[in-house]
Amino acid sequence: MINVRKEDGAVIVDLLVDRLDASIASNFRNKLIEIIKDGNTLIILNLTNMKFVDSSGLGAIVSGLKTLGARGDLTLCCIDERIMSMFRLTRMDRVFKIFKTEGEAISSISH
Amino acid sequence: MITLEKRIKLVIDSNLEDVKLVSNVVNRLCTLGPLTDLEILHIELAVVESVNNVIKHAYNNERGHEVEIIFTLYADRVTFDVCDVGRTMDRKDRKETDKSPLEFDPTELNMLPERGLGLAIIREVMDDVAYSSCHDKNTLTLTKRFIVRETRR
């Protein structure tokens, strides 16, 4: 479901599936929280592959953000414009820091 | 009177893993109407949220029950009837609240919603949302009206 790698002090979590929906949201949430509980505080979620997200999927990402709290940053990147419309529809575009590219996301964390 | 509607019924098991089947079909069916890609994507989301709610709340996440989705295409609108024979939605949940759950403060981390946005999303996307329960069958009817777009002559 995900791939985890480290780049420039940040942990990049690549979503490998194209749908982040209710069928996998709980599992995804648990994996994200596990990464945070391992002590990782600068996390970039790369959503290049995501073609559909429902409220359960968004809720799972929000859970990660709330678990991290003030200790760190959970940033999103590489979101397809159609999927961005779903973020806007649900007002989640106001919740997360979202960057067009992974490079921009990494730069934002390191500065 | 000649009716020009087209109708198709889908039935899936109350299994969240099968919702993507509905999602894909809804997306395709909506291309039969004069809807934009974005409208179709949002309608797909609304129907997915409806079906998710049936599985989670009407059937308590239990497999082995039927979820029916009836797509009807009219000249001026498209409707989706999402039907179940499970637990009826509470009256308090059917009513639209003064403040939508989507109107949260994005800066208040502890108040960010992790769940419960489904119905709000459905109401945001669709033009009409109606719920009825008759003879143990519950139906959520979602309607999206077509916008007549001016074309150049």
Side-chain angles (χ1 to χ4, degrees):
Chain A
M1 184 194 303
I2 60 171
N3 176 56
V4 183
R5 51 191 168 94
K6 295 202 172 181
E7 300 271 345
D8 291 331
V11 168
I12 318 288
V13 178
D14 298 299
L15 182 72
L16 300 178
V17 294
D18 60 357
R19 292 179 70 91
L20 184 55
D21 65 9
S23 68
I24 64 165
S26 187
N27 202 354
F28 174 80
R29 174 190 289 109
N30 292 341
K31 287 185 188 299
L32 191 56
I33 288 174
E34 208 178 290
I35 291 167
I36 294 166
K37 288 191 170 165
D38 279 346
N40 298 297
T41 56
L42 298 177
I43 300 171
I44 296 170
L45 191 50
N46 186 320
L47 299 173
T48 301
N49 294 318
M50 191 165 77
K51 299 289 177 272
F52 184 86
V53 62
D54 66 11
S55 63
S56 300
L58 289 169
I61 305 175
V62 169
S63 286
L65 188 69
K66 288 166 98 167
T67 302
L68 200 49
R71 291 178 290 133
D73 261 331
L74 174 59
T75 304
L76 312 185
C77 74
C78 309
I79 301 177
D80 178 274
E81 185 49 39
R82 290 168 76 246
I83 304 303
M84 266 310 295
S85 74
M86 291 162 114
F87 274 77
R88 283 184 212 108
L89 181 74
T90 55
R91 319 293 194 263
M92 289 295 167
D93 59 320
R94 300 177 198 174
V95 171
F96 297 101
K97 279 185 266 187
I98 300 174
F99 293 91
K100 280 201 160 70
T101 68
E102 187 177 289
E104 287 169 21
I106 291 171
S107 295
S108 79
I109 280 175
S110 53
H111 291 116
Chain B
M1 187 174 90
I2 300 167
T3 52
L4 299 175
E5 73 213 37
K6 305 283 183 201
R7 178 167 291 155
I8 189 166
K9 186 198 287 192
L10 313 169
V11 180
I12 61 161
D13 184 58
S14 50
N15 179 353
L16 288 173
E17 289 174 23
D18 289 355
V19 179
K20 63 173 152 299
L21 299 171
V22 174
S23 191
N24 289 333
V25 174
V26 164
N27 189 291
R28 285 301 200 176
L29 290 172
C30 283
T31 63
L32 297 172
L35 297 160
T36 65
D37 282 351
L38 265 185
E39 285 170 331
I40 292 173
L41 181 64
H42 293 176
I43 290 169
E44 187 184 336
L45 176 62
V47 176
V48 162
E49 296 289 348
S50 306
V51 176
N52 285 348
N53 279 350
V54 163
I55 294 171
K56 290 181 196 176
H57 304 300
Y59 292 134
N60 207 30
N61 275 310
E62 209 175 77
R63 295 185 187 187
H65 304 286
E66 286 192 350
V67 185
E68 238 178 45
I69 303 97
I70 302 167
F71 163 94
T72 310
L73 179 67
Y74 298 89
D76 63 343
R77 68 194 187 282
V78 61
T79 66
F80 296 89
D81 294 300
V82 181
C83 313
D84 68 87
V85 291
R87 193 173 69 92
T88 303
M89 197 192 303
D90 286 341
R91 284 192 186 278
K92 64 173 172 57
D93 293 328
R94 295 185 218 179
K95 282 169 67 171
E96 215 166 327
T97 53
D98 289 337
K99 190 176 177 189
S100 166
L102 294 175
E103 291 172 36
F104 55 84
D105 183 346
T107 62
E108 284 286 341
L109 192 63
N110 291 335
M111 301 301 289
L112 296 179
E114 291 173 63
R115 50 185 62 86
L117 291 183
L119 209 46
I121 289 169
I122 293 163
R123 289 189 172 120
E124 185 84 1
V125 170
M126 307 305 286
D127 295 313
D128 286 309
V129 180
Y131 186 82
S132 63
S133 192
C134 185
H135 301 304
D136 295 330
K137 186 171 184 175
N138 308 310
T139 302
L140 186 72
T141 300
L142 315 181
T143 302
K144 185 75 177 176
R145 288 187 215 99
F146 299 145
I147 296 168
V148 175
R149 292 183 170 85
E150 298 240 343
T151 52
R152 284 189 180 183
R153 292 181 187 195

